[in-house]
Amino acid sequence: MNARAYYQSLQSAIHAAPHVLRSDVRFEEIDVNECYVSGVLLLMGSFELHIAEYVVTDPVLTRLKYRYHLQTADGRLVSRWDNATHHPTVSTFPHHRYDEQDGIHPASPMNVLDVLDSALQFILPSQPD
């Protein structure tokens, strides 16, 4: 898979997610197998998911850098996942997650689809019965 094919598959997955109401995602091709993807997804419940990832697709799909920031419409942090190397004591280093109080927690390596799945735990409780 090259960078453009990765971006197309990502866009398809985002558009297939029922809790994504609108997306504004940008693609910057660095090389045929390297890209930067960033943007904002508007989710149900007035949540916003800000995404940024630097991806190499060959020989194996690798997210060299990523940041996924889930917030409320008024900008309040709900959760943030990233792989910046600034918390070496976290057991899943460099992968970690911040909670709404900026507490740091271990986290699995993430991607946009995993974050969209994780966002459901925050979105669904806010939906009216």
Side-chain angles (χ1 to χ4, degrees):
M1 170 184 306
N2 65 30
R4 287 182 187 269
Y6 169 74
Y7 177 66
Q8 290 170 347
S9 69
L10 180 63
Q11 284 284 53
S12 294
I14 288 169
H15 292 303
H19 53 301
V20 176
L21 303 177
R22 189 172 58 231
S23 67
D24 178 18
V25 180
R26 293 168 299 285
F27 169 75
E28 181 181 344
E29 186 176 41
I30 309 301
D31 189 271
V32 68
N33 293 309
E34 200 171 331
C35 63
Y36 182 71
V37 177
S38 63
V40 180
L41 309 179
L42 177 61
L43 308 179
M44 292 171 43
S46 297
F47 288 91
E48 296 175 359
L49 178 60
H50 296 252
I51 64 171
E53 51 182 34
Y54 188 83
V55 178
V56 174
T57 61
D58 188 52
V60 175
L61 179 66
T62 306
R63 285 169 194 82
L64 297 178
K65 292 183 181 182
Y66 66 79
R67 170 180 81 248
Y68 310 110
H69 182 99
L70 181 65
Q71 68 181 42
T72 59
D74 62 0
R76 183 180 53 83
L77 173 69
V78 175
S79 191
R80 176 184 165 108
W81 299 261
D82 71 55
N83 67 345
T85 59
H86 49 244
H87 296 292
T89 59
V90 175
S91 63
T92 54
F93 177 81
H95 310 282
H96 57 280
R97 182 183 73 81
Y98 297 91
D99 62 24
E100 63 278 358
Q101 282 88 34
D102 273 340
I104 301 162
H105 305 275
S108 300
M110 296 300 275
N111 61 54
V112 173
L113 299 181
D114 290 340
V115 172
L116 282 171
D117 285 344
S118 294
L120 286 172
Q121 69 182 307
F122 303 105
I123 293 170
L124 293 179
S126 70
Q127 296 303 301
D129 292 330

